[in-house]
Amino acid sequence: MVDSLKTVVTKFYGDYKSNTPRKLKIIDAYLFYILLTGVIQFVYCALVGTFPFNSFLSGFISCVGSFVLAVCLRLQVNPLNKNQFWGLSPERGFADFVFGHIVLHLVVMNFIG
């Protein structure tokens, strides 16, 4: 069981390393960073408490919103999805990502008070 799992993970990592474009790897690293930040915030809230609840909620919402925007960017930039986004260039996808982040963080800053 462990050997087959190790084989699957090794093959997955090898395919990911050789077949995934560099742009997508950078976006995946950003996704991992956002996921890790959200988990740390949640664990901190569970251990310490939620005294400034607006701060926790706005930080966690920022992580979730950033994750969703980054996944959308990854879908638009992926060359395998060109037929899904035939009218959009990767630059347009990045501009949408930046605009979405500006709106998201304006809402988050407004929510903090």
Side-chain angles (χ1 to χ4, degrees):
M1 174 75 177
V2 174
D3 290 335
S4 63
L5 181 64
K6 184 178 177 183
T7 305
V8 168
V9 170
T10 304
K11 181 169 175 21
F12 175 76
Y13 181 70
D15 287 346
Y16 176 80
K17 193 174 178 181
S18 64
N19 296 333
T20 306
R22 185 169 182 255
K23 287 180 185 179
L24 294 182
K25 288 180 185 176
I26 293 171
I27 295 172
D28 289 340
Y30 178 66
L31 284 168
F32 180 71
Y33 166 72
I34 295 171
L35 180 71
L36 195 64
T37 304
V39 168
I40 289 171
Q41 284 181 358
F42 186 78
V43 169
Y44 178 82
C45 179
L47 293 176
V48 176
T50 62
F51 167 61
F53 190 66
N54 282 358
S55 297
F56 162 71
L57 200 57
S58 62
F60 196 72
I61 288 171
S62 175
C63 286
V64 171
S66 296
F67 190 86
V68 169
L69 288 171
V71 167
C72 292
L73 175 65
R74 189 184 195 287
L75 286 173
Q76 290 180 4
V77 172
N78 192 351
L80 298 176
N81 294 336
K82 284 210 184 249
N83 58 352
Q84 298 284 329
F85 302 101
W86 56 271
L88 299 175
S89 67
E91 291 81 12
R92 167 71 192 270
F94 186 71
D96 291 344
F97 171 76
V98 170
F99 179 73
H101 260 281
I102 290 171
V103 171
L104 172 70
H105 287 94
L106 285 174
V107 169
V108 165
M109 292 303 289
N110 188 33
F111 186 74
I112 287 175

